[in-house]
Amino acid sequence: MPVHHAIWRVGETPHPLTISKLATEKMLQNMIIQDSSILSDQWMIIGEEVNTLDSGRIDLLAIAPDASLILIELKRDRTPREVVAQALDYASWVDDLKADRLSQIYEKFSGGKNLGEAFKERFNTELEEESLNQSHQIIIVAAELDPSTERIVGYLSKNGISINVLFFKVFQHGDEQFLSRAWLIDPSETQTNAAQATATSAKEAWNGEFYVSFGDPLSRVWEEARRYGFISAGGGSWYSQTLKQLQPGNRVWVKIPATGYVGVGIVQSGVEPASSFIINTDDGEKLAMDVLKYSDLYHRNADDPEKSEYFVPVKWLETRSEQDAVNEVGFFGNQNTVCKPTTPKWRHTVDKLKRYFRNWEERL
């Protein structure tokens, strides 16, 4: 279904703005470099005009908080289906990028800066080499698609390929131009596809167990999640949108990054924003954002769907304090808030965790 954009000037008589065009694709590219939130406020641009040797040049290359990569192709005008084949070709090259090459790409792009230092400054976490480029997304930025291209992108996405299209449109008002955007596919679906992928070729059927990362001690407290029965994420849509995967009855295994596994539980209902999530306290039912330690932060972001904290209620089967977290060499870890791992490492991890958390099985 074609995506249509329109903007009206507000007034007693609404006045539609005239559709215009950017002078060059380079103008759009420079705008994204200056403000990557045009695409996502959780991506950091690390390269432009990246030479793939025999395949051509990738317009922009970005990195996400989990150290996965985002390949970005820009097209100012109507985009033919050949662009999808080109992007897939580029993606096959990106798939093999190692830490040293990515460091070189960023050093050239940034004028000599260090990728690890920039990553830590941007995402407040260390860039671990083993996490780098475990998956990637393909993003085509275009004014419009022809119908066959749209069908191809939709087909690839439904079959697990992390590909999406960001439509943009330019509007003219006097001497000023304005840019609007709309996604072809919900970005959470594309991120979810990427989160399922791993760099290892060894994969197996998903075992039905969800992995959850309960991170950032500066915006949420595990002991509160234990007490009131929830998991949460926020501060950016990249962190919160994978919570949408969880449905009532799902079993989740919760890990605090760099600490270990602290709980197993059953999801009670779907995701809710901070503005409506209720918890049971000693004084009765209350809004979580009125009770929890970081209530000021939750109130401040409550009206911003991108940055709001989101909650999923969980019936805990067994939990542990951070001090008693379970961790072993070889255990699965991932910085996505929620994922459905398909690696043997995840099966191994869950099998071992069931020995530590003896009450993992829900009993009626």
Side-chain angles (χ1 to χ4, degrees):
M1 180 183 297
V3 175
H4 299 285
H5 302 243
I7 296 177
W8 282 262
R9 187 178 63 191
V10 175
E12 189 172 323
T13 302
H15 180 73
L17 300 191
T18 303
I19 293 177
S20 182
K21 284 188 176 183
L22 292 176
T24 64
E25 283 179 14
K26 189 67 175 177
M27 181 181 293
L28 178 61
Q29 185 166 316
N30 289 339
M31 288 173 62
I32 293 171
I33 290 172
Q34 290 299 315
D35 185 359
S36 59
S37 66
I38 291 174
L39 303 179
S40 169
D41 63 359
Q42 299 300 324
W43 295 347
M44 182 179 82
I45 306 297
I46 63 171
E48 65 171 323
E49 301 295 338
V50 179
N51 192 343
T52 65
L53 302 179
D54 59 337
S55 300
R57 292 177 182 270
I58 298 170
D59 291 330
L60 293 171
L61 190 65
I63 193 167
D66 65 343
S68 62
L69 300 181
I70 301 96
L71 180 163
I72 302 158
E73 278 299 294
L74 307 175
K75 299 298 172 187
R76 183 180 58 148
D77 300 313
R78 188 179 179 89
T79 302
R81 63 184 180 181
E82 287 77 13
V83 170
V84 177
Q86 181 187 51
L88 290 171
D89 190 13
Y90 290 167
S92 68
W93 181 82
V94 167
D95 192 46
D96 292 327
L97 286 178
K98 300 294 189 290
D100 56 346
R101 181 70 180 106
L102 287 166
S103 294
Q104 293 169 6
I105 290 170
Y106 182 71
E107 186 175 347
K108 179 181 178 182
F109 169 73
S110 64
K113 294 181 180 179
N114 178 275
L115 177 58
E117 293 173 359
F119 185 90
K120 185 173 182 179
E121 181 179 351
R122 176 66 178 82
F123 299 118
N124 195 33
T125 187
E126 297 288 344
L127 178 58
E128 299 176 357
E129 187 169 333
E130 71 169 13
S131 300
L132 189 57
N133 196 21
Q134 294 242 338
S135 64
H136 57 263
Q137 299 181 42
I138 303 167
I139 305 297
I140 298 170
V141 181
E144 57 181 315
L145 293 184
D146 60 46
S148 64
T149 308
E150 189 173 320
R151 287 196 301 271
I152 292 168
V153 171
Y155 172 81
L156 291 171
S157 178
K158 284 190 293 186
N159 285 276
I161 303 298
S162 307
I163 186 170
N164 207 340
V165 178
L166 182 70
F167 294 101
F168 72 92
K169 194 67 81 174
V170 179
F171 295 88
Q172 193 82 30
H173 179 58
D175 295 332
E176 293 186 294
Q177 287 186 313
F178 299 88
L179 189 73
S180 71
R181 69 171 197 181
W183 289 98
L184 176 64
I185 301 165
D186 185 338
S188 65
E189 294 183 26
T190 314
Q191 182 186 332
T192 297
N193 283 341
Q196 310 303 77
T198 65
T200 175
S201 60
K203 293 185 179 182
E204 58 188 30
W206 175 51
N207 62 3
E209 312 274 356
F210 280 88
Y211 168 88
V212 172
S213 174
F214 191 90
D216 192 2
L218 299 179
S219 59
R220 58 194 62 87
V221 178
W222 168 241
E223 287 304 316
E224 291 181 334
R226 287 180 80 189
R227 178 180 179 183
Y228 296 117
F230 66 80
I231 55 175
S232 69
S237 58
W238 187 92
Y239 298 100
S240 59
Q241 59 193 4
T242 55
L243 288 170
K244 296 178 182 178
Q245 296 179 78
L246 297 176
Q247 300 296 324
N250 292 153
R251 183 161 49 227
V252 293
W253 296 90
V254 181
K255 182 181 183 183
I256 297 176
T259 300
Y261 285 87
V262 290
V264 56
I266 302 297
V267 172
Q268 299 299 289
S269 61
V271 62
E272 288 188 50
S275 58
S276 63
F277 185 67
I278 301 293
I279 58 176
N280 290 312
T281 74
D282 293 339
D283 298 320
E285 292 188 343
K286 293 184 180 293
L287 271 177
M289 68 177 184
D290 290 338
V291 175
L292 303 180
K293 177 179 179 179
Y294 293 104
S295 60
D296 289 346
L297 176 64
Y298 300 158
H299 274 281
R300 190 160 62 246
N301 293 330
D303 295 328
D304 185 341
E306 289 290 311
K307 295 185 177 180
S308 172
E309 188 80 1
Y310 290 86
F311 296 80
V312 173
V314 174
K315 174 187 174 184
W316 294 119
L317 302 175
E318 188 174 335
T319 62
R320 292 171 173 240
S321 68
E322 290 188 52
Q323 292 72 30
D324 294 325
V326 176
N327 206 11
E328 289 187 8
V329 174
F331 269 9
F332 179 86
N334 192 288
Q335 287 177 293
N336 285 275
T337 302
V338 176
C339 64
K340 300 189 294 185
T342 56
T343 67
K345 179 183 281 192
W346 177 235
R347 174 172 47 80
H348 162 76
T349 300
V350 171
D351 287 346
K352 291 295 293 288
L353 288 175
K354 287 177 179 178
R355 302 178 197 174
Y356 287 103
F357 295 87
R358 296 300 182 94
N359 296 319
W360 62 270
E361 194 170 12
E362 184 177 27
R363 290 176 173 80
L364 300 177

